[in-house]
Amino acid sequence: RDYRQADATVEAALRWLRGKRTTDRFFVWIHLFDPHRPQRAPDEDMRAMAFASPATEQAFAQAIIEKHGVRPGFFESTGALVKRYVEYDAEIRFADRQLARLHQGMEAAGQNAGTLWIVTADHGEALGSHALDGHGEHLYKEELRVPLIFWARGRTASGRISELVRHVDLLPTLAQLYGWDLKPAPFTLPGRSLAPWIENPTRKLPRASAFAQRRP
């Protein structure tokens, strides 16, 4: 029920990276568990998400109810709805700050040259839509759609696509970008490489399908 917060995780990653030379090749997977229950973002991030007045808080709550179809009475009060969203957004802000700290640390150490960053998530959160709060037991888009960002200085072109991409595409993408030989017969990688799009976002990706399954 407990977890290491993003600042401690990023500090551990930076400590590990300090042992690398700028000429070393490395792969590092950094899992930030924020935002996640129990939600406990630092006061700085909670204050940044606070509303300027009761009127703006009420307008926010009404917009959430209309946009996400939160049923009346799902949260015990408007204040409870706002609190849930503020705590969640504060943890997102906290995680963002720690990602920036990681990037700045690698930049200062000269480790961003040639490094490919991939930022993604394993799931979203219902937050009252479909009369649900949480994740992992349903297949609505609030839980299935997540960000997937690629960045490398001088290698990734600026662009955004709306085509369906999947986590299963990550390994073949890395294999093509870095020339890994992962095809000893009869082995075939699942997924497809996104490398052509990363280098030219105007290219069309071949159609793909994705499978999601709820817990029994």
Side-chain angles (χ1 to χ4, degrees):
R1 301 297 299 171
D2 204 358
Y3 62 88
R4 181 171 64 178
Q5 288 185 273
D7 52 351
T9 299
V10 166
E11 181 55 41
L14 288 171
R15 220 169 26 242
W16 184 83
L17 286 162
R18 288 184 197 114
K20 302 294 178 186
R21 298 169 298 181
T22 55
T23 55
D24 287 343
R25 299 185 71 184
F26 61 84
F27 176 90
V28 56
W29 180 75
I30 300 167
H31 181 196
L32 302 186
F33 212 65
D34 320 71
H36 208 282
R37 286 173 169 165
Q39 290 174 333
R40 52 188 186 192
D43 291 342
E44 172 187 343
D45 302 289
M46 289 294 294
R47 286 193 299 268
M49 293 295 104
F51 290 92
S53 69
T56 56
E57 179 177 308
Q58 185 63 40
F60 170 81
Q62 189 59 40
I64 289 296
I65 289 169
E66 293 173 0
K67 180 178 179 181
H68 297 294
V70 179
R71 297 177 187 173
F74 180 77
F75 291 100
E76 61 186 30
S77 65
T78 299
L81 181 154
V82 170
K83 182 175 183 290
R84 178 74 171 101
Y85 275 80
V86 164
E87 289 179 343
Y88 191 75
D89 287 349
E91 289 222 325
I92 292 174
R93 185 180 190 274
F94 175 50
D96 282 349
R97 286 199 299 117
Q98 297 309 312
L99 278 175
R101 178 172 157 239
L102 176 65
H103 183 273
Q104 291 160 4
M106 292 180 63
E107 191 74 18
Q111 293 171 320
N112 272 333
T115 295
L116 174 67
W117 284 66
I118 302 173
V119 182
T120 189
D122 54 342
H123 60 77
E125 198 83 352
L127 297 174
S129 58
H130 308 285
L132 301 167
D133 188 8
H135 61 267
E137 297 182 355
H138 303 278
L139 300 177
Y140 294 109
K141 66 179 181 180
E142 289 85 354
E143 297 175 53
L144 295 181
R145 294 185 66 185
V146 296
L148 179 59
I149 300 168
F150 295 88
W151 180 85
R153 183 181 293 111
R155 184 160 191 178
T156 51
S158 177
R160 181 174 181 173
I161 63 170
S162 58
E163 286 91 344
L164 177 67
V165 296
R166 308 151 302 175
H167 286 144
V168 75
D169 297 327
L170 290 176
L171 181 55
T173 299
L174 290 171
Q176 182 172 353
L177 286 173
Y178 291 99
W180 300 343
D181 182 12
L182 299 177
K183 298 180 180 178
F187 178 72
T188 302
L189 281 177
R192 59 182 174 168
S193 173
L194 305 176
W197 167 77
I198 291 172
E199 294 168 345
N200 181 5
T202 63
R203 294 185 62 168
K204 288 292 184 182
L205 288 172
R207 291 180 63 86
S209 58
F211 175 78
Q213 181 180 22
R214 71 178 295 274
R215 294 174 181 171

